[in-house]
Amino acid sequence: MTILDGKGLSNKIKEEVKADVIELQTKKNITPGLAVVLVGADPASAAYVNMKSKACKQAGIYSIVHEMPETISQDKILEILAMMNKNPNIDGILVQLPLPKHIDTTAILEAIAPEKDVDGFHAYNTGRMTLGLDSFIPATPYGVMRLLEEYNINPEGKNVCVVGASNIVGKPMSTLLLNANATVTTCHIYTKNLKEHTLNADIICVGVGKVNLITEDMVKDGAIVVDIGINRLDNGKLVGDVDFENVSKKCSYITPVPGGVGPMTIAMLLVNTIKAAKLREERERKLND
């Protein structure tokens, strides 16, 4: 059994991003910029935003966090997003989810300029990703694909079971694997006999937020298991959706939690921000030609 070390790979990617930032600054006089919108005081969201800001600072990316009260109106958020869309120093914009119930999440995500949508949640980028065209890819599934690539795991021709069908993880994960020529089964809360699907899978990707959802008897020998879930137990320990101790005995590869997919998510967000900055430079150069 081999551990898919997301932490180690993310550190490698962050160093590559740092080098890209230096090159953009010295050759193009551009410092990539990322703006994060945080609405409310959810501790988990605040922690994620803090990690993203810290990673940006370490890579040399200009980062700003717009903290807003939970009672803020939707119109006010849209107003701030419109301002960010016009700001030439901001290459990437992301809105930390979930948003308060009185806010229409779709309307907010659709208000972000597609060329600054580094989270890859805008319908424009989702559509392009589905068609296999160049786009901003949601950071978590993007991180999973990069992790598989690092370990020379090619999904082509493999049976893959994706457990979870969220717009943020499950659906884009299935799409990317389908684009990589895998045979993909997407399972969700309405799936009957989940075990039947997971037992047939060469690769299992799971991210629903349920402790020990995937157990040893649900995984065939030699399977590759990617645990995208994150749960905090009563004792404060972080675990995924997979019974790691027992499932790992049957796997050829498995991601740990923490230290697997989580660090990759932040690393790929930085990669998307660099991509946005390079596209900005390209647009400006074409305008000046």
Side-chain angles (χ1 to χ4, degrees):
M1 184 272 292
T2 301
I3 293 286
L4 295 170
D5 180 13
K7 189 173 182 181
L9 178 55
S10 73
N11 288 335
K12 175 182 165 184
I13 292 169
K14 286 174 184 176
E15 287 303 311
E16 292 169 359
V17 166
K18 198 172 180 178
D20 279 339
V21 171
I22 292 168
E23 186 175 351
L24 280 167
Q25 288 172 330
T26 54
K27 293 185 178 178
K28 309 291 184 180
N29 197 30
I30 285 177
T31 296
L34 176 68
V36 181
V37 173
L38 176 62
V39 183
D42 177 67
S45 291
Y48 283 132
V49 168
N50 186 49
M51 285 190 283
K52 289 168 185 174
S53 298
K54 189 177 176 183
C56 282
K57 188 176 180 181
Q58 288 171 343
I61 293 172
Y62 166 70
S63 174
I64 184 167
V65 178
H66 284 266
E67 294 186 35
M68 306 176 187
E70 189 158 353
T71 53
I72 194 169
S73 70
Q74 182 167 306
D75 285 344
K76 186 63 180 174
I77 299 174
L78 291 171
E79 187 183 307
I80 291 167
L81 288 175
M83 177 187 71
M84 291 182 192
N85 284 337
K86 293 174 185 173
N87 187 338
N89 297 316
I90 298 297
D91 297 293
I93 301 169
L94 72 85
V95 176
Q96 184 64 43
L97 302 178
L99 291 169
K101 290 180 180 177
H102 70 281
I103 304 293
D104 181 345
T105 298
T106 301
I108 296 300
L109 296 178
E110 292 288 278
I112 298 170
E115 67 272 16
K116 296 191 177 190
D117 171 41
V118 290
D119 252 344
F121 296 158
H122 193 287
Y124 175 85
N125 284 309
T126 301
R128 288 185 65 87
M129 177 188 65
T130 301
L131 294 172
L133 302 174
D134 184 55
S135 64
F136 288 109
I137 299 169
T140 299
Y142 191 9
V144 171
M145 297 303 287
R146 181 66 183 81
L147 195 53
L148 294 177
E149 180 189 325
E150 182 72 10
Y151 285 84
N152 297 312
I153 298 168
N154 185 356
E156 185 171 281
K158 289 187 171 62
N159 291 327
V160 182
C161 183
V162 176
V163 185
S166 71
N167 292 334
I168 295 172
V169 177
K171 287 179 186 175
M173 190 77 259
S174 293
T175 298
L176 292 174
L177 288 160
L178 187 60
N179 289 349
N181 300 319
T183 301
V184 183
T185 300
T186 305
C187 297
H188 41 73
I189 196 168
Y190 299 107
T191 298
K192 294 174 183 175
N193 197 355
L194 177 61
K195 180 179 176 179
E196 182 183 310
H197 300 285
T198 57
L199 268 178
N200 188 48
D202 304 307
I203 302 174
I204 300 170
C205 298
V206 54
V208 298
K210 188 174 180 182
V211 178
N212 291 339
L213 176 65
I214 304 299
T215 51
E216 183 183 5
D217 62 314
M218 298 171 71
V219 179
K220 72 177 182 181
D221 288 331
I224 297 159
V225 177
V226 180
D227 191 349
I228 308 168
I230 186 158
N231 310 282
R232 191 175 292 278
L233 301 180
D234 291 340
N235 63 8
K237 184 182 178 183
L238 283 178
V239 297
D241 292 349
V242 176
D243 177 5
F244 182 89
E245 185 179 345
N246 294 305
V247 170
S248 61
K249 295 169 186 172
K250 296 180 75 173
C251 293
S252 55
Y253 295 88
I254 190 169
T255 58
V257 177
V261 176
M264 290 301 298
T265 298
I266 292 177
M268 302 322 286
L269 172 64
L270 300 183
V271 168
N272 278 347
T273 303
I274 294 296
K275 177 177 180 173
K278 289 179 177 178
L279 289 172
R280 186 233 303 187
E281 189 276 329
E282 197 177 296
R283 289 192 303 272
E284 289 175 354
R285 181 163 39 81
K286 285 179 179 176
L287 282 173
N288 293 330
D289 284 348

